[in-house]
Amino acid sequence: MKNRNLFVWSIILLAVNMRIPITAISSLIPALQKQLGLSTSAAGMITTIPMLTFAVASPLFPRLARRFGIERVILFFTALLSLGMALRILPNAAGLFAGTFLIGLGIDSANVLLPASIKAHYTGVTTRGMSYYTTTMMVAGALATGIVGLFVDSASLTAIQVGLFVVSLISLLGWIPAATVKLP
C-alpha cells in the first residue's frame, strides 16, 4: 500500500506539469511579444508547437515504452520538459521555440503513456488513478493560468518563467519514484 500511495503522489506531481507549460504561457504572450519582438503569428506558434508535436510524436512513445519501460520513458521526456522550461527563460526567440518544442514532447509522452501506467499499477481501481490524474491536470492548469495572469503586470517575465521552471522540476522529482521504485 505504501508504494501505491507513492505512485498516487507521483501521478499528481506529474499531472501538474501536463497543462501548466501550455496554459500559463498564454498570459505571458503579450510580454514575450514585446520582449522578443515577435509577430502575432510567431507568438501563436507558442501554443501551436505542443499540438504539432503531439500529432507527430505520439506514435513513437508506445514503441519507446516497450523497449525502455513506460515510467522511464515518461521520466526522460519529463526531464526534457524541464529543460524546455529552462530554455524559455532565455531572453531570445530560439530558446523560447526550442523550449516549447521540448515541452511539447514532455507533455505528449505523459498524455500517451501515463494512462497505460495507471492502468498497469492501479489494477481494479483504474478509475481512481485516472481521476487523480485528470483532476490534478485540469485544476493545476486553471490555477496556473489565473496566478500567472495576476502576476504578469507586477512581476518580471523572467521571475514568472523561473517560477514555472521550479514547478516543472518539482514535477520531475515527483516522478522519479515511479520510474525507480517497484510499484504495486
Side-chain angles (χ1 to χ4, degrees):
M1 189 57 139
K2 184 177 180 181
N3 284 348
R4 180 166 286 178
N5 290 336
L6 184 64
F7 186 59
V8 167
W9 283 107
S10 291
I11 292 168
I12 289 169
L13 289 171
L14 183 66
V16 164
N17 220 15
M18 291 181 60
R19 289 297 175 266
I20 288 177
I22 295 174
T23 61
I25 199 76
S26 61
S27 299
L28 300 178
I29 288 177
L32 288 166
Q33 279 184 278
K34 183 177 178 181
Q35 180 186 45
L36 304 176
L38 299 175
S39 68
T40 303
S41 297
M45 291 303 294
I46 298 166
T47 56
T48 303
I49 289 170
M51 303 309 131
L52 293 174
T53 61
F54 187 75
V56 174
S58 291
L60 303 174
F61 298 124
R63 291 183 195 138
L64 291 170
R66 280 190 296 277
R67 182 169 181 168
F68 300 106
I70 293 172
E71 291 77 21
R72 286 187 186 104
V73 171
I74 292 172
L75 181 64
F76 175 78
F77 283 100
T78 301
L80 287 184
L81 186 153
S82 290
L83 175 60
M85 295 296 284
L87 289 173
R88 276 188 176 176
I89 297 168
L90 300 174
N92 60 57
L96 175 67
F97 291 113
T100 300
F101 174 74
L102 294 177
I103 288 165
L105 290 175
I107 291 171
D108 299 341
S109 71
N111 275 338
V112 171
L113 298 176
L114 187 56
S117 179
I118 292 169
K119 185 176 181 182
H121 300 296
Y122 250 86
T123 309
V125 287
T126 303
T127 54
R128 185 178 306 152
M130 289 299 293
S131 68
Y132 294 140
Y133 158 58
T134 56
T135 301
T136 301
M137 193 170 46
M138 295 304 132
V139 170
L143 284 174
T145 302
I147 291 168
V148 168
L150 290 173
F151 286 106
V152 76
D153 291 329
S154 59
S156 75
L157 181 59
T158 301
I160 293 170
Q161 289 178 301
V162 167
L164 294 171
F165 168 67
V166 169
V167 170
S168 76
L169 283 179
I170 293 168
S171 178
L172 173 62
L173 294 173
W175 190 252
I176 290 172
T180 59
V181 173
K182 181 149 175 66
L183 298 169

